[in-house]
Structures are given as C-alpha cells and as structure tokens.
Amino acid sequence: SSGINAEYGAAEETKITIANVRLYDGEDKTDFDKGSLGITTHRLTWSDGHQCIELPLKLITNVESVEATFTKSAKVILMLASRAHTQEPGPVHSSRHDFIKLSFLKGGHMEAKATISSLLVEKRWDKGVIAVQEKSSLMGGGLV
C-alpha cells in the first residue's frame, strides 16, 4: 500500500521516510518509540508495525530543531495549533503541552525539519480544497 489516505487522495505525495524516531508529548517520553516517521505533503505519520498515528500538517504552527549532544539525540520540535473542541482525542487524550518532539535516534532530523518547513510554506493541503471549490463554482447553480 502507498500509505496514501483516501481523505487526501492523489494530491498527497510521500516526501521522506525516516526510521528510528521516538515521539515525545512536550518534554514527556511516550510509548511511541523506534518507529518510522513518514512525511507527506499533507501529514506526518508514525508507525512501529503495531500502532500507527498521524498528524495533519495544518496543525503545525512552527518547526525548530535541537542538535544532538553526547548524551541526547537530535530533535525536531513541532509547535501545534490549539485543538478544536470538535476534534476527536488523539493517542494522548489530554496534554498540557502545545508541542511535540520527534527524537531521531540514527539521524535524519535536518532532512525532516527542512521537509516539514518547506511543506508548511507550500500548504498543499489547502490547494486541493481551493481547486475543488473553484471547479464547483464554475458549474453555476448546479444540482440542488
């Protein structure tokens, strides 16, 4: 399977996949350890073969990176928009943090940061919606 979600369709394109990534809820370690991070034009996915989670890129407001030290792995910090009240709870039902960290155990953090930053500027997830709206408005009144 291509990993493309039907919600996004053919407009979604996989950009990079990086192995051995751990997820943090803010500063707190989670059970999401040593998985594969997929970055597409519309979302981030993380999977370890047993569980899979995703984060739409439109929820990311800023991207920062922290270089590795002798005792700590390199990290990418993703600042997140406030969760909508209508949104279903995620893998962590509530969090006091407004950011997550991606910890790169075997490299790849610079590529991940650059890719995510570029995709946040492009906002391709918005362009698909605009194209559909423009197309429907050209049809005139349409069927009621």
Side-chain angles (χ1 to χ4, degrees):
S1 122
S2 66
I4 302 294
N5 187 325
E7 178 182 348
Y8 301 115
E12 183 178 24
E13 178 186 339
T14 299
K15 292 295 191 177
I16 190 171
T17 302
I18 302 169
N20 293 300
V21 177
R22 165 180 258 170
L23 302 183
Y24 285 75
D25 177 27
E27 298 291 342
D28 305 329
K29 281 186 180 180
T30 67
D31 292 333
F32 302 107
D33 189 23
K34 294 183 183 172
S36 179
L37 175 71
I39 303 173
T40 77
T41 52
H42 292 64
R43 63 193 165 126
L44 303 180
T45 61
W46 182 94
S47 175
D48 65 359
H50 302 289
Q51 51 192 349
C52 183
I53 59 175
E54 69 178 52
L55 175 68
L57 291 178
K58 65 183 175 185
L59 298 180
I60 301 171
T61 60
N62 194 28
V63 185
E64 301 171 9
S65 63
V66 177
E67 293 297 321
T69 65
F70 187 68
T71 58
K72 295 187 181 227
S73 61
K75 294 180 179 61
V76 170
I77 302 167
L78 305 175
M79 303 304 292
L80 304 176
S82 298
R83 187 169 69 106
H85 294 292
T86 57
Q87 183 179 338
E88 291 292 319
V92 177
H93 290 287
S94 66
S95 174
R96 58 184 181 187
H97 305 289
D98 59 356
F99 67 96
I100 62 170
K101 288 184 181 181
L102 308 173
S103 176
F104 295 82
L105 305 175
K106 297 194 177 179
H109 74 288
M110 295 303 285
E111 296 87 348
K113 181 182 186 262
T115 302
I116 295 167
S117 296
S118 172
L119 292 169
L120 292 180
V121 170
E122 290 177 23
K123 295 187 178 186
R124 284 181 48 187
W125 60 87
D126 278 346
K127 292 179 178 151
V129 172
I130 291 168
V132 169
Q133 289 173 346
E134 287 174 355
K135 183 178 178 184
S136 65
S137 67
L138 294 175
M139 298 166 106
L143 296 175
V144 179

